[in-house]
Amino acid sequence: MIQTTGPERALALGTRTRAGAYRLDLTTQRWWWSDDVYAIHGFAPHEVVPTTELLLAHKHPEDRDQSVAVLDEARRTGGSFATVHRIVDARGRERVVAVIGEGRGPSAAGPPSELVGYFMDVTDVVDDRAQAAATVSIAAAAQSRSVIDQAVGVVAFVEEVDPAAAFLVLRAASNDANVPIRVLARAIVGALPTLRHDPGRVRHFLDGLLAPAHRPAGAPTGT
């Protein structure tokens, strides 16, 4: 569970959310859920009687203890709160929900008489952000591999060897100089325009770049 500092952060998670209101009477321990809160938990409206036990039963096992702690603190202090955690709905689907709320009571000095707030299903928002992060990572890896592949092609052409052998040349140079293969690859590919793609110039450049005596020490070895 990720506890935030206020309701505004939960509300700022985006528009692709399903939100519903709730109210807990702390005197009677009775809950009231709007139709959307039932739906978030995988139920038809009024299909079940909402209780604290039912609510906690649907929390993801890894997030349940923290949910209990947040609820207990809200009961004691009546302060506003916001959490993001996982639930498993009545259909067995794992959902990510944001819960915001605050206590209301007869006196600011005493415990609240009720808790009121909103449940928001933010699963789609979280999935979108996770997918975007994964896409960025994949694109970065693909870009790095593309540069290495280009360098392998250059070495294969100039040294008149197959791509597998050319890669071994780059890897050996990487190990000798303690420089990542991608750094050598970028140097090779980046130099091609100034070398005018001339095989003789490229060969001379590679001889200097790949010769152990001319390679500076750099970052740790790796692709």
Side-chain angles (χ1 to χ4, degrees), residues 113-190:
S113 60
E114 64 179 5
L115 297 179
V116 296
Y118 297 91
F119 277 87
M120 289 169 285
D121 185 343
V122 296
T123 306
D124 289 343
V125 175
V126 172
D127 287 347
D128 287 349
R129 292 188 177 182
Q131 183 61 45
T135 299
V136 170
S137 297
I138 293 170
Q143 183 178 27
S144 176
R145 176 56 59 188
S146 176
V147 170
I148 293 173
D149 288 344
Q150 291 179 58
V152 166
V154 172
V155 173
F157 174 74
V158 172
E159 301 295 336
E160 298 182 352
V161 296
D162 61 35
F167 179 78
L168 292 178
V169 170
L170 285 178
R171 189 172 69 179
S174 171
N175 291 334
D176 288 343
N178 196 28
V179 175
I181 291 178
R182 64 178 178 274
V183 173
L184 292 178
R186 287 170 186 157
I188 293 170
V189 174

Side-chain angles (χ1 to χ4, degrees), residues 38-53:
Y38 282 99
I40 289 171
H41 287 84
F43 296 109
H46 311 291
E47 180 181 351
V48 295
V49 176
T51 64
T52 300
E53 291 74 18

Side-chain angles (χ1 to χ4, degrees), residues 203-218:
R203 180 186 296 278
H204 180 74
F205 174 79
L206 289 179
D207 287 343
L209 182 66
L210 301 181
H214 296 88
R215 288 195 300 270

